[in-house]
Amino acid sequence: MKDRPIVTGMFHDYEAADRAYGALRARGYTDDDIHVVMSEDTRERFHDSDADHIEIEHGSKAAEGAGT
């Protein structure tokens, strides 16, 4: 991952986010390289609970890595 740039995106709907996820995978990024952030409401509406390729970490990571 050292030679790859950091990519950030915001999407208005599930389909656009899913296409971006697929495009990153097609370019060689792994599941460990891709992080998806969504609201609890969005997760409940769109997450496929049978999808075994996505690991969900619940809770807030808002302060993770923040300096004081």
Side-chain angles (χ1 to χ4, degrees):
M1 181 79 184
K2 292 179 184 178
D3 299 331
R4 296 183 188 170
I6 293 176
V7 178
T8 303
M10 294 180 68
F11 306 96
H12 291 287
D13 56 47
Y14 173 83
E15 290 80 15
D18 192 51
R19 283 192 306 271
Y21 182 88
L24 288 170
R25 294 286 300 171
R27 286 172 175 79
Y29 287 87
T30 68
D31 287 340
D32 290 336
D33 297 329
I34 302 170
H35 301 277
V36 178
V37 179
M38 67 185 84
S39 69
E40 185 72 18
D41 179 54
T42 300
R43 186 192 63 76
E44 289 174 2
R45 284 188 290 145
F46 296 110
H47 178 67
D48 179 2
S49 61
D50 294 330
D52 59 356
H53 66 281
I54 299 173
E55 179 181 333
I56 296 178
E57 294 181 27
H58 297 278
S60 174
K61 303 278 184 176
E64 187 174 298
T68 56

